Amino acid sequence: MEGTKEKKMKILCLHGFRTSGSFLKKQISKWDPSIFAQFDMDFPDGIFPAGGKSDIEGIFPPPYFEWFQYDKDFTEYTNLEECISYLCEYITTKGPFDGFLGFSQGATLSALLLGYQAQGKVLKDHPPMKLFVSISGTKFRDPSICEVAYKDPIKVKSVHFIGAKDWLKLPSEDLATAFDNPLIIRHPQGHTVPRLDEVAIEQLQGWAAEILQCNNNCAVENKHEMENGEAKVEFEEKNAEEACKIHNHEKSAINTNNRELEVVDAASA
């Protein structure tokens, strides 16, 4: 029981286009540290080195990375399948993970993986993801992707940060509609990981606490089920053993009775 309580839920955090895992970690560090204190956060770098200028040059040191490439209309993608394969392998070998946190390209990619897992396209042997923090995330626009990933409401606990001045404000709102009962936190800033006011902090703390409570309850239920299962097996094994003893006793009694009858027959002869 104690081991179950001490085990932290694990979140895979995917950075934005032409930045890095270290930069996203730095961005998240401006949030109240108590929010994710009970989570294990993993910040990997993108699979490909940045193929052009980064918006954070001069702000945060290189190297910079990207998860995949895309055209100006965001309808055609290069290296996306390779990226998906890489992340699925990463999740399988480094996990299990309980969910995602992503900014921009990282959030868009996270939502895709959540939708694909829900439809049985990827991560079939990995436990279902439980949570998602989206900051400026969007949907993919390729119909062949949309028809699968966003076919049904994605049933994970999700929170979506949407900026009033973000150039991806409307696409971020559209992504939120792909999730079941999403929590939307609006902020006055642009395309960035926002600083949170007191109201937003309380909302995010409550959201995280609810997830942790639900996870702990599930862990307790699973433990009880395992204990009950073990008790049931032990009970059945004990019953089988008793039945075997009774059977052997009856068989012994029958054999004894048969020998007595043989003696009686012999005497009568």
Side-chain angles (χ1 to χ4, degrees), residues 4 7 23 46 56 66 72 83 86 92 96 104 108 141 165 171 173 178 197 206 210 216 235 247 250-251 256 259 261:
T4 302
K7 185 178 180 182
F23 181 64
I56 63 172
E66 53 198 48
K72 61 184 180 65
C83 174
Y86 170 82
T92 301
S104 195
T108 301
R141 295 179 183 173
K165 299 177 182 178
E173 291 175 339
D197 59 22
E210 184 179 343
N216 288 339
F235 176 76
H247 174 74
E250 291 176 347
K251 185 177 180 181
T256 300
R259 284 196 296 272
L261 289 174

Side-chain angles (χ1 to χ4, degrees), residues 247-260:
H247 174 74
N248 290 338
H249 177 74
E250 291 176 347
K251 185 177 180 181
S252 177
I254 291 172
N255 289 338
T256 300
N257 187 51
N258 287 340
R259 284 196 296 272
E260 290 175 351

Side-chain angles (χ1 to χ4, degrees), residues 9-254:
M9 296 183 75
K10 197 168 184 179
I11 302 177
L12 185 61
C13 306
L14 305 184
H15 63 78
F17 187 61
R18 294 179 181 170
T19 63
S20 65
S22 298
F23 181 64
L24 179 58
K25 187 174 184 179
K26 179 73 173 178
Q27 290 177 295
I28 296 298
S29 70
K30 57 188 169 185
W31 289 359
D32 188 318
S34 68
I35 295 171
F36 292 117
Q38 300 304 313
F39 296 86
D40 182 7
M41 316 285 278
D42 188 353
F43 295 84
D45 290 323
I47 184 173
F48 302 103
K53 182 177 173 59
S54 170
D55 289 340
I56 63 172
E57 286 182 18
I59 300 173
F60 193 86
Y64 311 123
F65 304 88
E66 53 198 48
W67 295 104
F68 58 91
Q69 300 79 40
Y70 50 89
D71 68 351
K72 61 184 180 65
D73 295 322
F74 201 62
T75 55
E76 296 182 5
Y77 319 103
T78 304
N79 296 316
L80 178 59
E81 291 302 321
E82 184 177 349
C83 174
I84 291 172
S85 296
Y86 170 82
L87 281 173
C88 288
E89 179 67 20
Y90 188 95
I91 290 167
T92 301
T93 56
K94 302 287 186 180
F97 287 88
D98 294 284
F100 295 96
L101 178 150
F103 172 67
S104 195
Q105 187 183 57
T108 301
L109 185 57
S110 297
L112 175 68
L113 290 172
L114 289 169
Y116 273 0
Q117 186 190 38
Q119 296 299 329
K121 185 177 175 66
V122 300
L123 299 170
K124 297 177 183 179
D125 298 323
H126 186 280
M129 296 292 185
K130 303 170 185 174
L131 64 98
F132 176 41
V133 180
S134 174
I135 310 160
S136 299
T138 71
K139 289 181 179 178
F140 281 85
R141 295 179 183 173
D142 182 339
S144 66
I145 292 176
C146 296
E147 290 169 1
V148 179
Y150 321 120
K151 178 182 178 182
D152 300 309
I154 302 171
K155 297 182 181 300
V156 303
K157 292 281 189 179
S158 68
V159 56
H160 303 256
F161 288 89
I162 300 175
K165 299 177 182 178
D166 190 350
W167 62 279
L168 289 178
K169 176 185 175 182
L170 294 179
S172 294
E173 291 175 339
D174 188 37
L175 177 64
T177 66
F179 288 81
D180 183 52
N181 195 28
L183 169 63
I184 296 177
I185 299 180
R186 298 184 182 275
H187 61 87
Q189 301 162 57
H191 193 68
T192 184
V193 175
R195 293 187 179 278
L196 305 181
D197 59 22
E198 290 185 8
V199 174
I201 290 173
E202 289 180 1
Q203 284 181 296
L204 194 54
Q205 285 176 329
W207 178 85
E210 184 179 343
I211 288 173
L212 288 168
Q213 183 62 50
C214 181
N215 189 63
N216 288 339
N217 290 343
C218 289
V220 170
E221 289 176 4
N222 289 338
K223 185 174 187 296
H224 287 167
E225 286 178 3
M226 289 179 64
E227 290 174 346
N228 291 339
E230 290 173 357
K232 183 179 179 181
V233 169
E234 185 178 347
F235 176 76
E236 289 176 348
E237 289 178 347
K238 187 174 181 180
N239 281 351
E241 184 179 345
E242 291 297 327
C244 186
K245 287 181 179 178
I246 292 172
H247 174 74
N248 290 338
H249 177 74
E250 291 176 347
K251 185 177 180 181
S252 177
I254 291 172

